[in-house]
Amino acid sequence: MNPSRRRLMCGATGGALLWMAAGPMRAQVADKALILPMPPVLRPPRLVVSGASLPVQLRSVSLRAEVSGRMALTTVALEFFNPNPRVLEGELQFPLLEGQSVVGMAMDVDGALREAVPVDKAHGEAVFEDVTRARIDPALLSATEGNNHKLRVYPIPANGTKRVLIRYAETLSMRSGRIAYRLPLEFGERLAELAVAIRVTGADAPPQATAGGLAVPAFVAGGGGHSLEWSLRDLSPRGVLDVDIAAAPGGSVVTGERQGRAYFVAQLAVPQERQARTLPRVVQIVWDNSGSGADRDHGREFALLDSYFAVARDVEVRLQRVSHAAEPVLVFKLRGGDWSALRRSLEATLYDGATDLGSLTVDRAAGELLLFSDGLSNFGAQRLATPRVPVFAISSAVRSDAARLRGLAEAGGGAFIDLLARTPDEARALLLERSTRLLRLESNGARRLVSASARPDAGWLTVAGELAERQTRIKMTLEHPDGRQQVVDLPVEAGGHEGSLAPQTWARLQITVLEADEALNRAEIRRVSRDFGIVTRETSLIILDRAEDYARHDITPPPELSKAVEALRGSARLAQQRSTQAHLDQVARLFEQKRAWWERDFPKDEWRRKDASKSEMPSAGARVQESSRIQRSDMVAPAAHPHPHPHPHRRCPWPAVRSRRARRRPATHWPAPAPWPSRVAKAMRSVTRRP
């Protein structure tokens, strides 16, 4: 496999989907894929192809979505056409928004779509390298830093097509009291076919769909929900398909089962109160000036600081820049909300190096901490401990670790503010106001309860858990800005039907909470993501060509290869059993031989008796040997040659060894050393002559 193909294979995660709110685009470059800066809301995915004489075309797109309450599962199917006369390889790159996760992937293998299976990320990379060395081409989809993904697409047949299918799940946002679901329709080129299918359940009224100037059919009621089927041919679509869904007034509870376990997801409208909070007189600002900090939207960050200091007025700001190490603290004393000196200092920041958030020091005099960072701490082993003061984590980067920032902020009573996902008014409210928050979740019939956030999102709170009983009640304790506590009681009953939305949503929420401290929870993240097929920094999705590869690397196969893989594993187990039995038989045989030897009786004088019996009746041959021995004993031995060894008294007693030494001995004859008493006498004389 050539090096360029090997280089493109490495990283990968489910790719073709989430261009989410800005119309997608594809780029094809000859050498290396460059990640372009993303627009404020989203960047489209793109296909990068190396060495193509003619550009690979996106021929058709199929978008299918299942929406229940604020949960959505979207499936994107892309079909690429290669007009070149040779096989090509591409890489599909895309970022995801906060709360969106890849939960499935499939690709053409021998003319049929084959589903990917979850695997530990390290094991998947090892298998990927091993299989590619055998000139077999697997597909590997894994997450990179932040919520970015890429997927290797190979082979794209010469003058043929390649299909890629990706599924992602997300929690939908609220807009003007209605649930908003958006699908991008712009793909940067003319499509032969575009098909859209959306099914919505749990809505009180038919959803409304608009797509710019395109005529969109209405939703049709049926089957316990509302459905939309829309197909277009030979067009260059533009814009986004907006679907507005009327939320049920009291919220919704969705249940589902997976592998014999029942899960629930409740989305409730809770009373949300707001109150302006008192700002401290001393505030610490931590400014991430690592290399990735240059890609943040500093204009939005400065606009938020404008609103903050307009309310704070007279305040002391202690600024600390952090990259691979924390810089000395700079103190700015603001009067009347004038922060021009601080702004000039921030605008003059030089961005370079890695990020080590564990190196920063929380100022004890500060009443709160404003952290401007993408959360991608990629240097140093020390983790950032939860400060004892409220932390407001503010991100304006396309690539960010939202789970870590959210966990850090909410653990200290602060808030996470994503400036790319929030309007300026919403960001100001999160920073300057106190609001109702969730204190705790309790239940006697449910376990592993989790919430999407401690703060309601636009008046809605999402909680989920695993049901231990078919019927139970969930007790939620809310705290209002004035300190009052309110208990909300929620009845939950398992529906007894299989469904993927509730189990996958619970798993995604659980992973989000665990990723707040990834180093501590790595094993649990790996287990949950592998069990539910969710792509994280610990797991990937992999597709292998042959059943032998699944069996050899002990990877759970897709359904169509289950029988073949099980047969191969059975044969391997049988061969292993035979080998083990043969080894045990050999060990037992050798043991019996040794035991028999130890148990054998060897009489003390048996050999003497045997020799005596032989000597009583000497044979003719024995008599001849005896006469020869007597004749040799009468012969006179020649004089011995003087021994050339310098130390004859040290001669080796073994003749065989002595003869070998004689062969290696040089021809020079050394005189024999003086006897020991002579050496002593000589030494004594030399001592007596000294003055």
Side-chain angles (χ1 to χ4, degrees):
M1 181 170 296
N2 62 58
S4 62
R5 282 182 50 193
R6 293 288 297 277
R7 184 175 60 253
L8 282 174
M9 284 192 265
C10 305
T13 82
L17 40 99
L18 293 143
W19 43 97
M20 326 276 54
M25 100 168 108
R26 282 187 308 113
Q28 298 164 355
V29 246
D31 293 332
K32 186 178 179 182
L34 299 176
I35 305 260
L36 301 177
M38 196 164 157
V41 181
L42 250 252
R43 169 169 66 86
R46 61 181 193 158
L47 179 68
V48 179
V49 179
S50 298
S53 302
L54 299 173
V56 176
Q57 304 167 9
L58 178 60
R59 175 170 287 183
S60 65
V61 177
S62 174
L63 306 173
R64 304 184 66 86
E66 180 183 354
V67 181
S68 179
R70 295 181 62 192
M71 300 178 293
L73 177 65
T74 305
T75 302
V76 180
L78 307 177
E79 183 179 276
F80 297 99
F81 174 70
N82 177 16
N84 297 275
R86 65 186 185 90
V87 175
L88 294 177
E89 175 185 359
E91 189 176 71
L92 199 59
Q93 304 174 348
F94 64 94
L96 300 184
L97 292 179
E98 180 197 357
Q100 296 172 334
S101 303
V102 175
V103 296
M105 184 261 290
M107 189 179 291
D108 258 339
V109 176
D110 297 330
L113 282 175
R114 178 170 297 176
E115 289 288 335
V117 294
V119 64
D120 289 349
K121 188 172 184 178
H123 182 49
E125 291 174 353
V127 172
F128 188 88
E129 290 297 327
D130 180 71
V131 173
T132 51
R133 279 194 293 268
R135 298 185 178 274
I136 300 171
D137 297 289
L140 182 68
L141 185 155
S142 54
T144 58
E145 280 293 335
N147 205 15
N148 295 271
H149 307 74
K150 50 185 178 178
L151 170 68
R152 172 179 172 266
V153 181
Y154 181 85
I156 307 176
N159 299 312
T161 60
K162 184 73 172 182
R163 289 185 297 166
V164 179
L165 184 146
I166 296 172
R167 301 183 190 89
Y168 66 93
E170 63 179 316
T171 300
L172 303 179
S173 60
M174 301 293 295
R175 185 173 57 190
S176 302
R178 296 174 67 88
I179 300 173
Y181 176 67
R182 311 188 76 192
L183 268 179
L185 299 179
E186 185 174 350
F187 292 86
E189 58 185 277
R190 197 168 192 83
L191 299 178
E193 183 179 5
L194 172 64
V196 179
I198 303 175
R199 177 170 175 76
V200 179
T201 58
D204 285 352
Q208 303 295 321
T210 58
L214 296 176
V216 182
F219 277 84
V220 178
H226 300 83
S227 302
L228 178 147
E229 299 283 345
W230 188 28
S231 181
L232 300 171
R233 294 183 178 276
D234 192 23
L235 79 162
S236 299
R238 302 272 180 185
V240 177
L241 175 63
D242 285 301
V243 180
D244 289 337
I245 305 168
S252 62
V253 178
V254 180
T255 62
E257 293 187 2
R258 180 185 175 90
Q259 298 178 353
R261 296 184 177 183
Y263 301 87
F264 79 92
V265 176
Q267 296 168 328
L268 307 174
V270 299
Q272 187 174 18
E273 301 178 7
R274 294 186 177 276
Q275 176 180 306
R277 66 186 185 91
T278 302
L279 302 183
R281 294 295 86 194
V282 179
V283 61
Q284 181 181 4
I285 293 181
V286 176
W287 194 267
D288 184 353
N289 68 329
S290 62
S292 62
D295 296 330
R296 302 201 311 265
D297 191 336
H298 302 301
R300 296 185 181 223
E301 295 173 341
F302 293 155
L304 184 62
L305 287 176
D306 267 332
S307 302
Y308 182 84
F309 293 126
V311 175
R313 307 292 292 172
D314 300 333
V315 63
E316 180 179 314
V317 177
R318 302 188 177 185
L319 173 65
Q320 185 177 35
R321 295 181 175 89
V322 174
S323 56
H324 61 278
E327 297 183 8
V329 176
L330 303 178
V331 179
F332 297 85
K333 294 185 177 181
L334 278 57
R335 295 292 180 266
D338 181 12
W339 67 290
S340 56
L342 173 60
R343 176 164 184 158
R344 286 194 298 272
S345 178
L346 293 176
E347 289 175 341
T349 299
L350 298 178
Y351 298 92
D352 190 22
T355 306
D356 183 10
L357 295 180
S359 65
L360 70 87
T361 303
V362 179
D363 198 313
R364 295 184 178 181
E368 64 187 29
L369 188 151
L370 306 183
L371 173 62
F372 291 84
S373 174
D374 54 17
L376 301 175
S377 186
N378 54 10
F379 184 80
Q382 186 176 0
R383 297 185 293 114
L384 176 60
T386 303
R388 297 182 179 180
V389 298
V391 177
F392 291 86
I394 302 161
S395 172
S396 61
V398 172
R399 299 174 64 248
S400 66
D401 192 342
R404 177 178 298 174
L405 294 175
R406 183 187 297 280
L408 177 66
E410 294 186 352
F416 168 60
I417 305 173
D418 187 352
L419 296 180
L420 298 184
R422 301 282 184 177
T423 65
D425 291 340
E426 291 173 343
R428 278 195 298 269
L430 286 172
L431 183 59
L432 301 175
E433 297 178 355
R434 296 185 61 189
S435 62
T436 301
R437 68 189 186 101
L438 177 65
L439 276 184
R440 56 184 173 271
L441 288 168
E442 299 172 301
S443 176
N444 293 329
R447 54 179 175 260
R448 307 181 73 181
L449 300 175
V450 63
S451 64
S453 173
R455 297 178 180 273
D457 181 15
W460 288 81
L461 193 64
T462 301
V463 298
E466 180 183 343
L467 293 174
E469 300 177 2
R470 306 302 296 179
Q471 293 182 346
T472 188
R473 306 187 77 84
I474 311 298
K475 185 171 73 172
M476 297 178 289
T477 303
L478 305 176
E479 183 186 51
H480 295 291
D482 57 2
R484 290 181 298 107
Q485 293 187 3
Q486 178 184 357
V487 177
V488 178
D489 194 59
L490 174 68
V492 178
E493 181 177 358
H497 62 276
E498 292 285 335
S500 60
L501 279 178
Q504 284 185 344
T505 301
W506 172 84
R508 291 190 301 109
L509 294 179
Q510 189 75 18
I511 291 171
T512 301
V513 173
L514 294 172
E515 284 181 338
D517 195 343
E518 181 188 5
L520 181 64
N521 302 314
R522 180 165 294 148
E524 183 65 11
I525 293 172
R526 185 183 301 115
R527 188 192 67 80
V528 174
S529 56
R530 186 179 59 242
D531 290 347
F532 289 84
I534 298 175
V535 175
T536 64
R537 281 170 286 190
E538 298 298 326
T539 54
S540 304
L541 295 179
I542 193 169
I543 296 176
L544 301 175
D545 283 358
R546 305 180 305 172
E548 293 86 344
D549 297 324
Y550 288 98
R552 182 163 59 95
H553 295 288
D554 195 22
I555 295 177
T556 303
E560 63 269 21
L561 295 180
S562 296
K563 292 183 179 179
V565 172
E566 188 56 35
L568 290 171
R569 288 176 178 170
S571 301
R573 284 193 297 268
L574 183 59
Q576 180 65 29
Q577 291 173 359
R578 290 175 177 171
S579 175
T580 303
Q581 188 61 43
H583 177 69
L584 292 177
D585 293 342
Q586 182 183 11
V587 170
R589 185 171 59 256
L590 294 175
F591 177 78
E592 286 298 327
Q593 292 176 1
K594 177 168 282 192
R595 186 178 61 82
W597 185 85
W598 279 102
E599 292 179 353
R600 182 179 174 184
D601 186 18
F602 293 92
K604 181 177 180 181
D605 297 328
E606 181 179 0
W607 66 277
R608 295 181 183 273
R609 289 194 299 270
K610 292 182 178 179
D611 290 347
S613 63
K614 292 180 180 179
S615 62
E616 289 177 359
M617 297 293 294
S619 62
R623 288 193 296 270
V624 172
Q625 291 179 1
E626 179 66 16
S627 62
S628 299
R629 184 184 65 79
I630 294 173
Q631 293 175 3
R632 287 196 301 271
S633 64
D634 294 338
M635 296 174 65
V636 178
H641 190 279
H643 201 282
H645 197 278
H647 304 288
H649 60 284
R650 298 182 186 177
R651 292 177 61 190
C652 179
W654 298 284
V657 177
R658 192 163 62 242
S659 63
R660 288 198 300 270
R661 288 183 177 178
R663 286 195 297 269
R664 294 196 300 267
R665 188 179 302 117
T668 306
H669 290 187
W670 296 90
W676 181 81
S678 300
R679 293 200 303 270
V680 174
K682 185 178 180 181
M684 295 297 294
R685 285 195 299 271
S686 64
V687 170
T688 57
R689 292 197 189 103
R690 292 179 183 176

